[in-house]
Structures are given as C-alpha cells and as structure tokens.
C-alpha cells in the first residue's frame, strides 16, 4: 500500500532527484556524523549498513547494546517510572530526527538556505547538539551523579539517553523497505490500544501529536485555551503562590532567557518572584555541565522537553509539551536571540557583558518584551513560516506583481536599502540592492513586529524604527519607515477592524529601510509617491482585493479533494504556500494540532537516518503525508477515512497546481530568491546605495 | 520639521505648521496623549512605542488661524536616547510628560527639559504635562507629585504647565492649544524666507488645494 503510494507520487517531478539524493546523501551523513561520533562513541559502524544493525539491536532493547550506546546513563526502566503521563510522545522520536531544512535559518543567507535544503544534509548544529545532549561525554560516574542530583531537585527523568537510543531505532525501520508507511501506521495503531505500547511509545516514537493531544482530551483542550492567559503577580503575603505555580506549570510552552550569571532576562509566563526558584535550578543545571566542559543541550523531565541554547553571555531555554523536536525548538530559540540582537546589536550586547558580567539586561531591553512574547506565542500557536523557515507571498498575477515591482523601482529614493510591500504578513513585492540579501529570519522579525506585536500599530501614525537586522548585519542599526494602509479603504471603517483568519488585521504595510537615520522625510516622500502611483495604476486595488479574498481553501485548489490542509515549500525560492485554515482548522486548538502534525511530519522526513522522502502517517484523526524532493517539501493532511491513494492523488494534484500557479503564489526569481540574481531584472535596475551603518542608534 | 506660516487662500487667513516632540519616561502616557489629541482615542492596554511614531493634527485657533502640528512621539527608552536629538533638533515645541503618580518620572522630565534648553532651538516652547490626573481623582493618595511643586518648577523653568488625563481627555486639547497660541505666529512674518526648508519659518503663500485647506485632520 505504501509502496503504491510512493509509486503514484513518484510519477511526478523530483523522482530523479529523489533517487540521486538517496545515493548521495549517506556518505555526506557519514562525514557529518563522524564529527559527532568523535564526541559520542567509537566504532559505531563504518558504513550505513552496519549502523543500521547496531540500531536495530538497540531497538530490540538488548541490554549490552544499551550499554554500548549510552554508558553514562542510568538504567532505563527507572526512567519509565519517572515519566508521567503518556502525554509526551514525540520528544523521543522527534528529538533525534534532524531538522534539515534549517537549523540556522537565522544567520544563513537565503541562497545558502536553499542550497543546504537541497542536499538534505544541513544537520550540522542541530544534530551535533542533540547528540552531545544525549550522549554524555563526561565520565560516567560524574554524569550519573549529575542526574542523581537533578533528580532530587526536580524529578528529572533523565530519559534523553533513552530517547536517542529509541530514535535511532526509528531510522532503520524506515529504511528497511518500501513499505515503511504501513509499518508506521501499525505502530501508531498499536500505540492507541495497548497501555504498554503507549508507555513505550512515550519513549519511542508515535510522532503523532494529534494523538498525544487527543489522549488527554478535554484537560488539554482547556489548558491550551488558557495557554496565553496572564499569570498574575505574587501577592505580598505570598498566599496565592502555590496556585500561581500550578498555573505556571500547566502552560504547555515556556521560554526563558537568562544571563550566564543567572540573571533573569525574559520569561513568557509569570513574574520573576514566582519563578526565581526555577530560574536558579535551570542555571545550576546548565552551569554544572558548563563546568564539566560539556554543554547541556536538552533533557526531558516530567513530560516536557527542555532545550538549552547558549549564545555568548545568554542562555535561552525552551520548555515544550507540544511535541516539538530539538531542532525545531532551537529554531525558535534562535529567533528569540535574533530579536535581542535586533534590539541591541551584537557589539552592544557583548560590550555590556564584558564590562559587567552581572549586567541586568532587562533595562536595555525595555520595550522588547512584547516583541519576544509575540514571537513566543506565534511559536506556541504553531507557525508554518517558522517550521519551514520560509516566507509566504500574496498570490497575485505575475504581471500585476511586475507593475508593483516597477513602481517601487521608479519611485525609490537614493537612500533606500530595502523596500517592501507586505499585506497581512504576506510579501507582495521587494526591492533590494544587488549585493545585499534579504534574510528570512530578518523578515520574520519585521513581520512579527508589524503584524503580531501591537506596539507599532498602536502608534497610530507613521513610524521610524531603528532596528538591527542580524541576518543582514548584526553590528549596526538600520532605520525602517513603516506606514499602514487599510485593505478596506473602500468598504468602511468597521470592516477595517475585522481581523483575518490568522488574527492579523488585514493591513498593507509599506516598509522602507535605510542605513541613514536622517532619511525619514525622504522615505516618507517616497512612500507618498509610491502609494499615489500604486493607486493610480490600479495596483493597490489588486492588492486590497487579494488580501480581502484571503487564501483559497484546499477544495478551491483541488476540487473534490480529500485534503483538509497542506503546506508546500518551494526550496529554491525559500517560500511556501498553503490553503486557508477554513473550514477545518479555525479554532486555536485545531490549528495547534494541525501544526503539531506538521511538526512531526517535518521531523520524520528530516530525520538524519530517514532517507525516505515520502512518509505517511495514519492516526485516529487523520491521514497525512510528507513528501520531500530537492525541489519542494509537501505536507498534507486528510481526514482519517481518506484512503492513502486518494491522499497521494491529491498530493500530486497540489504539485500540478503549484506548477501551474508558481509565478503567482511565489515571487519567482524575484527579490527574495537571491540565488537567481541574474534572472531578476528588478535587481539589475537598482543602484546599490551607500551601505553604511551607524554603530549606534 | 519646519514651521510654516502662510496666508491662505482666504484673505487674512493664516496657516502655520510646527514640529512638536514628546519626551518623557517610558509609560507616562506620551502616546496616549497624542492619540487622544489626534484621534480622540484611549487604550487601557497600550503596548509601548517602538522607535518613534509620526503623526499630524491640525487645529484652528480662531476663524483665521490654523495650526498644523507634526508630532514626533518618541519611545522613552534609554537605548533610544541617542536618537532623541534628531527628533528635537528642529522642533518648535516640545511636550515633556511625567506621571503624577510616579515621583521618579518628574526627575526624568526635568532632565529632558534641561537637555532641550541646552540643545534644542533657542526659542523652543516647552510644555510640562503631569499626566494620569484621573488616577488621583479616584484615589488622592496615589498622587506622588503635588500640583504646587510641579507648577513652581514649571514657572521657574519657563514652561507651560498642565495636569492632564489622556484617559478622560482632561486638559489634553487645552495643552496643545496653549502651545499653539504661544508659538510665534506673529513674528513669523518678520523672519523672512526660509534658508533651510527644515528650519525656521516658511512664509510662502499656501497654494489652494495643498495644506492650506484648513482643519483637515490629515
Ligand atoms: N489611568 C490613566 N492611564 C493612562 C493615562 N495615559 C496613559 N495611561 C496608561 O499608561 C500606560 C502607558 O501609556 P503610553 O501612552 O504607552 O505611555 P508612553 O510610553 O509614555 O507612550 C498605558 O497602559 C496607558 O493606558 C491616563 O491619563 N490615565
Ligand atoms: Mg509611547
């Protein structure tokens, strides 16, 4: 069955590349892995073949293999006991799977991004870190002692060793044959029936958060709707503390940022007084490892995955019960770090801490908290652009976009570095100088600031914002002119206040970025000329109606399809497209489940040892598919009653649709696709500005 | 940016444009005052300003005189400090805001006043606004700075002074109107043509159909 699925899928493009990839990627993996191995263990097999066998032994739970694998870790059974509910299934399997698509979207140029993607091997940091975390390099006794003490403090389960072992075991299953999908389907089926399996799967695989969330059902549902509720301050008498702590613990996702000296910098939930104890513990754990010259990368405790990232003087910690894997969480932490750089610039940050290691960063970061929280909440709700590290564009005709591009070019002023038109978080048009790339991670920060946080809009006028775009240059500030234009101009005020399906007001933003802090009035003049011209040539009306129309539903795209939703990422363009969340995923929880499923699919096809490029996943609630070629990544979801064939057929239809619509849904060879500079006339016409940045704001 | 006074289309009608900057500690209510003035709105859960916001508002002083403010609402945060000169450099007037329930915010306001008197336009009009007066109306014990103290300081430093509430709109319009009245509409005529479009006062007659059109809330 799975075989059938694959065949029908393979009829379309990408088959050859897929085959190529299979041939070529193992050696690359070897390279990559040998570095990791150096840390981890010796002689774990000189060929992929051997490796698989080791792994399958691990899977069969042979004690010696376990020994061989994770000498420093406490025996496994005790871990089981420590794990609470079966709520945390994915951590195990996901933890190991590598996020190929971009452990490092933030600092990588768009071009580089797409290139790494194509080779399916950008495991560098993500994987190394995961390994380092799971395989303790400290002498066994020391490591065990560490775990012991942690356990006393917090009921630490120390199960990540188990995770890595079991995840490993996941890979060969997928490699063994063509019928990978059905195997996985059975596994998932079984996990739903037998409690033993469930327990096991808690540690092993079941990368199906739909399930993990469904299991707890109402409780989780309620929890998740309260996820974004503020936790009130601790009363003076401390009477409400316990209740607040329970509320704090019930959050499914936390982000903490602290200085390496242990000073709290940011936490998404609860005030400092409430969680200072936890901050202290986390800092102790992290510095214990640091002291042993061994960076702690992550661990699992009480059903939550903790991922730690150390960036210069900062520690960033993500705590997730949502089933995201380490690389996925790392991408999120990286984005938070980029936001901090965007506020301060790297030299400022470094300078403050080298002057005074005990610096309290809260003050210099004042006003940044809403931006960090907007990012954090986006991640908690689930964010396709973050998962895919790709941009979404507003779908309009190619010729219409061309007119807009030309208008931007005609009206551009001397000092302009980047000019962007963005409609409710989707890119409409960009101009940028030939020599400067535009980084998805920078755009993510900008979009977050404009469309998720409310501070800029709340200003009620035009805006002049100094900011550092770390992907562009982390050493200095740029200055961004922003003005919003209503997408409902002609319709009247009330409707303007309407928010679209993703909760963002449907506004069109004109962003003009310069390196010159005195250029506000020039850019303002340019904006006026630009908007006048766009109104005059009809472009504004086109953009407005595209915004109002919203995304088409899956059925609009493929009539009669079983698909409920899909994500299609064009790797070369570093862009993605998706249908509306209507009608199936309109609630917060439905959306989160969908995104969790996407996270799991994404993790499985990017798992390092999973050379499979098509992956099915069947659960009580859905049947889904991930399909990865060097050209694209497709993730699609259908209802549980849909057949795999129907799903595969629809997937093919989506591919056909994208091929037909490509120049509308993506900015092809456009300003975003930096690797195709020469195909893109828009650059050629643009004179690079004098790119100087002031060191200070 | 610049202030511009011009005789409009109507004989005897005057139109002037002035640059105004708001300064003060974070969260004292600068943005709230501006939004009350410009849009007659108030939001209890306002997120703090990022960078600076630029807004305009036009008011009529009398039948013959229209004043347009170009307003820079700055973020009060420390790290933006070095950008402040850019906003007040050519300002004709400034509103320095403190929160009457926060003693430290007046200190900050005083240091802004000092900086303006040292660095800004020589004849800049400065108004001191003690905001959130509604809070002490309900709970008088919340007040941290007495009216008398602030008033005495304002007199000494040569500032206009109002206690305002962006929430109830108390004294908001009065504040901006008082500033407009104090601006040098009269002398403007004597200053002559502008040397620099961003500096001084521009006296060119406003062509009908441009900004000369009166209270256009644009
Ligand atoms: N009660 C009351 N609250 C106010 C008043 N003005 C502002 N606020 C609140 O004070 C907070 C900070 O206001 P904001 O305008 O952002 O201050 P800014 O940082 O100086 O711009 C917001 O929560 C406002 O709702 C006021 O006159 N009365
Ligand atoms: Mg403000």
């Amino acid at each position: 069955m799975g075989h059938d699925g694959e065949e029908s899928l393979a009829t379309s493009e990408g088959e050859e590349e897929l085959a190529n990839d299979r041939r070529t990627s193992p050696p690359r993996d070897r390279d990559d892995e040998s570095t990791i191995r150096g840390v981890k263990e010796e002689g774990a097999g000189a060929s992929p073949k051997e490796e698989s066998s080791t792994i399958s032994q691990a899977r069969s739970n042979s004690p010696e293999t376990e020994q061989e694998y994770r000498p420093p870790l406490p025996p496994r059974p005790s871990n089981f006991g420590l794990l609470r509910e079966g709520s945390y299934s994915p951590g195990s399997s996901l933890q190991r799977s590598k996020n190929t698509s971009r452990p490092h979207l933030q600092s990588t140029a768009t071009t580089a991004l797409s290139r790494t993607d194509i080779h399916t091997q950008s495991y560098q940091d993500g994987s190394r870190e995961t390994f380092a975390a799971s395989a303790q390099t400290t002498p066994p006794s020391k490591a065990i002692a560490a775990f012991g003490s942690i356990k006393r403090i917090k009921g630490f389960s120390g199960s990540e060793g188990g995770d890595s072992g079991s995840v490993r075991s996941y890979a060969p299953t997928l490699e063994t044959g063509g019928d990978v999908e059905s195997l996985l389907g059975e596994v998932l089926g079984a996990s739903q029936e037998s409690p033993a399996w469930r327990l096991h799967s808690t540690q092993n695989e079941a990368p199906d958060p739909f399930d993990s969330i469904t299991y707890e059902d109402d409780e989780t549902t309620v929890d998740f709707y309260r996820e974004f509720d503020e936790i009130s301050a601790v009363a003076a008498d401390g009477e409400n503390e316990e209740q607040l702590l329970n509320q704090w613990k019930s959050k499914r996702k936390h982000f903490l940022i602290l200085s390496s000296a242990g000073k709290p910098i940011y936490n998404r939930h609860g005030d400092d007084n409430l969680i200072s104890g936890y901050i202290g513990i986390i800092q102790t754990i992290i510095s214990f490892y640091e002291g042993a010259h061994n960076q702690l990368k992550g661990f699992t405790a009480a059903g939550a995955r903790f991922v730690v990232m150390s960036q210069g003087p900062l520690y960033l910690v993500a705590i997730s019960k949502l089933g995201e894997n380490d690389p996925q969480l790392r991408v999120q932490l990286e984005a938070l770090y980029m936001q901090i750089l965007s506020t301060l610039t790297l030299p400022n940050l470094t300078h403050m801490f080298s002057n005074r290691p005990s610096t309290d960063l809260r003050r210099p970061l004042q006003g940044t908290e809403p931006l960090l929280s907007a990012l954090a909440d986006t991640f908690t709700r689930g964010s396709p652009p973050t998962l895919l590290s790709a941009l979404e564009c507003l779908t309009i005709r190619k010729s219409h976009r061309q007119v807009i591009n030309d208008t931007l070019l005609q009206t551009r002023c001397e000092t302009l570095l980047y000019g962007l038109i963005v409609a409710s978080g989707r890119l409409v048009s960009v101009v940028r100088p030939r020599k400067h790339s535009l980084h998805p991670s920078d755009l993510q920060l900008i979009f977050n600031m404009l469309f998720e946080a409310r501070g800029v809009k709340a200003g009620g006028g035009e805006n002049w914002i100094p900011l550092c775009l770390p992907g562009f240059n982390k050493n200095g500030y740029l200055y961004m002119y922003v003005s919003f234009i209503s997408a409902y101009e002609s319709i009247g005020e009330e409707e303007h206040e309407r928010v679209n399906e993703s909760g963002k007001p449907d506004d069109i933003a004109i962003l003009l970025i310069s390196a010159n802090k005195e250029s506000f009035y020039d850019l303002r003049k340019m904006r006026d000329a630009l908007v006048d011209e766009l109104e005059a040539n009809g472009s504004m009306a086109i953009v407005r109606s595209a915004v109002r129309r919203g995304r088409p539903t899956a059925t609009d795209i493929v009539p009669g399809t079983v698909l409920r939703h899909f994500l299609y990422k064009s790797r070369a363009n570093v862009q993605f497209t998706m249908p509306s969340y209507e009608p199936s995923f309109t609630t917060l929880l439905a959306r989160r489940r969908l995104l969790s499923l996407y996270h799991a699919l994404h993790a499985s096809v990017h798992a390092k040892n999973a050379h499979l490029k098509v992956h099915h996943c069947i659960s009580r609630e859905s049947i889904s598919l991930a399909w990865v070629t060097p050209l694209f990544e497709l993730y699609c979801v259908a209802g549980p009653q849909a057949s795999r064939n129907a799903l595969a057929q629809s997937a093919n239809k989506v591919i056909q649709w994208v091929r037909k619509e490509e120049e509308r849904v993506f900015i092809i060879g456009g300003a975003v696709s930096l690797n195709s500079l020469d195909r893109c006339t828009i650059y050629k016409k643009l004179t690079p500005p004098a790119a100087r940045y002031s060191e200070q704001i | 940016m610049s202030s511009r006074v011009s005789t409009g289309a109507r004989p005897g009608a005057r139109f002037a444009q002035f640059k105004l900057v708001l300064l003060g500690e974070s969260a004292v209510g600068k943005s709230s005052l501006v939004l009350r003035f410009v849009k007659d709105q108030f939001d209890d859960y306002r997120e703090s300003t990022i960078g600076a916001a630029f807004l305009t508002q036009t008011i009529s002083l009398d039948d013959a005189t229209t004043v347009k403010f170009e307003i820079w609402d700055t973020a009060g945060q420390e790290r933006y400090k070095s950008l402040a000169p850019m906003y007040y450099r050519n300002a004709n007037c400034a509103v320095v805001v403190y929160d009457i329930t926060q003693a430290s915010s007046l200190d900050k306001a005083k240091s802004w006043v000092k900086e303006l008197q040292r660095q800004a336009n020589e004849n800049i009009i400065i108004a001191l606004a003690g905001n959130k007066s509604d809070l002490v109306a309900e709970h008088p014990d919340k007040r941290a700075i007495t009216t008398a103290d602030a008033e005495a300081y304002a007199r000494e430093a040569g500032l206009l002074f109002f206690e305002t509430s962006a929430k109830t709109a108390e004294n908001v319009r009065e504040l901006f109107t008082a500033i407009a009245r104090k601006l040098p509409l009269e002398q403007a005529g004597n200053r002559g043509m502008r040397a620099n479009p961003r500096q001084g006062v521009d006296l060119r007659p406003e062509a009908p159909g441009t900004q000369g059109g009166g209270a256009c809330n644009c």
Side-chain angles (χ1 to χ4, degrees), chain A residues 167-231:
Chain A
V167 176
R168 251 162 196 281
S169 68
Y170 188 58
T173 320
L174 301 178
E175 274 183 333
T176 39
D179 208 5
V180 170
E181 298 81 10
S182 66
L183 248 180
L184 197 71
E186 276 158 32
V187 166
L188 291 172
S191 75
Q192 289 176 359
E193 258 102 63
S194 123
W197 236 120
R198 255 173 70 184
L199 187 58
H200 192 60
S201 72
T202 304
Q203 294 238 328
N204 277 333
E205 38 241 56
D208 190 351
F210 262 19
D211 284 351
S212 65
I213 290 180
T214 325
Y215 283 146
E216 300 163 80
D217 240 32
D218 295 59
E219 200 192 318
T220 315
T221 312
V222 174
D223 274 3
F224 197 65
Y225 279 104
R226 291 202 197 121
E227 178 73 19
F228 304 103
D229 290 359
E230 286 301 319
I231 298 178

Side-chain angles (χ1 to χ4, degrees), chain A residues 343-344 363-368 370-371 449 453-456 458-466 479 517-518 520-522 524 696-697, chain B residues 1 19 26 31 35 39 43 45-56 70 72-73 76-80 82-83 86-87 89 198:
Chain A
T343 302
L344 298 174
R363 227 186 128 65
L365 280 180
Q366 201 184 36
T368 308
L371 300 177
M449 178 188 272
R454 290 175 303 139
V456 177
E462 294 155 84
N463 301 273
W464 188 234
I465 301 170
Y479 301 86
K517 70 172 163 188
E518 304 282 345
F520 173 83
Y521 294 101
D522 292 338
R524 182 170 190 246
Q696 292 275 309
I697 296 186
Chain B
M1 65 199 269
K19 179 174 160 182
S26 201
S31 302
L35 280 197
K39 303 198 164 166
D43 182 358
Y45 302 98
R46 158 167 308 284
E47 273 188 16
S48 54
T49 311
I50 297 169
F54 181 83
L55 300 92
T56 59
E70 291 194 335
W72 276 110
D73 171 23
Q77 288 127 19
E78 215 42 50
R79 67 172 176 282
Y80 293 127
S82 60
L83 266 187
M86 187 186 126
Y87 302 115
R89 192 184 306 132
R198 298 249 167 94

